[in-house]
Amino acid sequence: MNESMEENGMEQEAEIPVGPKTALISIVGRPSAGKSTFLNTASGEKISIVSSIPQTTRNAIRGIVNTSLGQLVFVDTPGLHLSEKKMNLKLTQIASENITDSDAILYIIDTTRDHGEEEELIANLVRPHVSKLVVAMNKIEDSHSDVEAARTFISNFLPELPEDRIIGMSAKTDQNVNDVLKALYGLAEEGPHLYPEEFYTDQEVEFRIAEIIREQAINRLQQEVPHAIYVSIEDMKMEKPTLLSVRAFICVERESQKGIVIGKGASLIKEIRIESMKECRKIFPYRVSLDLRVKVDKDWRQKDKVLNKILH
């Protein structure tokens, strides 16, 4: 990311102060459109977990980009799709609230998929805010990408959107990501920055560890299980400056799912634990010792108390 920023003339040299512009930006799109990948690429750090499983992102996750042009604070909202389930309605509410409160909106469209009712839902959601909207047509590196179909959809549903705010992009390969950032800076106004320059996220340590564990779990589980889990951090203690001790549970809805997560001879839960600690080591300046177990929280996706705790 940093190399391509230099090529596009957006480098931040030590003697140049960060610019005066600041904006809070909501990222919206269908599940698996590439919102989390964009956030990680733009931030230059791992902010949001990435999986082939749709609707991996459940919370409004903040990533921060500082350049010589200013500070952009991104909120990666949950992927939106049509469903009347309580959890999905809550996710849609989170996204809608962030769209209203943001200074700008980045709408990411997956150019490898057909644009049906779900895409129309999002287009209608952002249409009243077209004055602060940028559209990124993502996955242009994919052989199945159909950019023209995406452009046709945009022109039909967002006819008032200026052409220079519709950009083909590959978040995966970092192609034209800086063009998207420039378009967003164009919508940003002058104002005090929300975070110090060295920040790239405002996520709490507990949340980041829980998300790392969930990522390692869902990428190893059968198709029907990932949405049925959440991670609860029960205890965290700094044993010494170089060691954080964490006790956590992967919570499932059914007794039958517990055995799937644990695996034969506890092989899967052990693998999730070890890989989670490795990922934590890449992020934190100290080692994380993880005591990881599995427990059943029957029908948790129907419980407001649990949803309000893990979705925000």
Side-chain angles (χ1 to χ4, degrees):
M1 174 65 194
N2 291 335
E3 292 179 0
S4 60
M5 288 185 74
E6 292 175 1
E7 292 171 1
N8 282 279
M10 294 177 64
E11 70 272 22
Q12 180 181 341
E13 299 175 359
E15 67 272 15
I16 301 177
V18 170
K21 287 193 169 186
T22 300
L24 180 65
I25 299 162
S26 289
I27 310 175
V28 298
R30 290 165 69 189
S32 301
K35 300 181 299 298
S36 297
T37 302
F38 169 83
L39 182 62
N40 293 340
T41 300
S43 302
E45 300 284 350
K46 183 162 186 174
I47 307 295
S48 191
I49 66 177
V50 178
S51 170
S52 60
I53 305 296
Q55 283 199 302
T56 298
T57 301
R58 291 175 175 170
N59 301 74
I61 296 173
R62 296 190 182 217
I64 303 158
V65 174
N66 289 297
T67 76
S68 58
L69 298 178
Q71 183 177 89
L72 301 178
V73 180
F74 289 94
V75 181
D76 181 11
T77 60
L80 300 176
H81 77 124
L82 296 168
S83 175
E84 292 301 317
K85 292 182 179 179
K86 181 175 285 192
M87 182 172 172
N88 291 319
L89 293 173
K90 180 74 173 177
L91 293 175
T92 300
Q93 179 187 348
I94 292 170
S96 299
E97 289 173 353
N98 280 284
I99 287 172
T100 302
D101 295 340
S102 64
D103 300 311
I105 303 164
L106 174 59
Y107 174 17
I108 296 182
I109 293 179
D110 184 346
T111 60
T112 67
R113 290 188 286 174
D114 292 334
H115 311 298
E117 285 186 276
E118 286 185 352
E119 206 73 75
E120 292 175 15
L121 167 72
I122 301 168
N124 288 327
L125 194 65
V126 301
R127 184 183 292 158
H129 310 284
V130 71
S131 62
K132 61 178 184 179
L133 179 66
V134 171
V135 174
M137 301 179 294
N138 194 27
K139 304 187 183 180
I140 60 174
E141 86 290 347
D142 195 294
S143 60
H144 297 100
S145 174
D146 190 342
V147 174
E148 287 310 309
R151 283 191 183 277
T152 299
F153 174 84
I154 296 165
S155 64
N156 288 338
F157 282 85
L158 300 166
E160 297 177 5
L161 184 65
E163 188 67 28
D164 61 354
R165 284 197 259 133
I166 306 171
I167 302 162
M169 174 189 79
S170 171
K172 182 179 180 180
T173 65
D174 198 3
Q175 183 179 350
N176 298 340
V177 168
N178 286 320
D179 291 336
V180 174
L181 293 178
K182 285 180 180 179
L184 291 167
Y185 274 117
L187 295 174
E189 296 184 358
E190 293 188 4
H193 291 171
L194 302 175
Y195 296 93
E197 289 179 41
E198 65 271 17
F199 278 41
Y200 61 87
T201 184
D202 67 349
Q203 296 171 9
E204 305 245 351
V205 171
E206 178 177 334
F207 175 79
R208 301 199 77 189
I209 293 174
E211 285 290 272
I212 287 170
I213 296 170
R214 190 164 67 91
E215 177 183 45
Q216 295 304 316
I218 65 179
N219 286 332
R220 289 171 172 78
L221 292 172
Q222 298 176 22
Q223 188 71 25
E224 68 272 15
V225 177
H227 291 309
I229 70 168
Y230 73 91
V231 176
S232 175
I233 304 294
E234 299 295 320
D235 185 57
M236 288 200 316
K237 183 179 180 182
M238 209 73 199
E239 302 289 353
K240 48 187 177 180
T242 57
L243 177 63
L244 176 66
S245 179
V246 178
R247 184 163 61 92
F249 286 95
I250 297 177
C251 302
V252 297
E253 286 190 309
R254 307 273 186 274
E255 194 67 40
S256 59
Q257 294 166 344
K258 185 176 180 180
I260 295 174
V261 178
I262 293 173
K264 186 176 181 180
S267 59
L268 188 54
I269 190 67
K270 181 179 179 181
E271 183 180 347
I272 293 169
R273 172 180 167 272
I274 291 172
E275 293 305 315
S276 295
M277 289 193 295
K278 287 181 181 178
E279 286 298 308
C280 287
R281 194 68 186 94
K282 296 176 184 178
I283 294 174
F284 301 113
Y286 43 77
R287 189 163 61 88
V288 175
S289 175
L290 183 60
D291 176 6
L292 185 60
R293 307 182 189 191
V294 184
K295 70 177 180 180
V296 178
D297 186 353
K298 187 173 173 58
D299 297 324
W300 66 263
R301 282 184 287 185
Q302 302 304 318
K303 298 177 180 178
D304 288 327
K305 183 177 180 181
V306 175
L307 294 179
N308 289 335
K309 180 182 178 181
I310 68 172
L311 305 178
H312 51 79

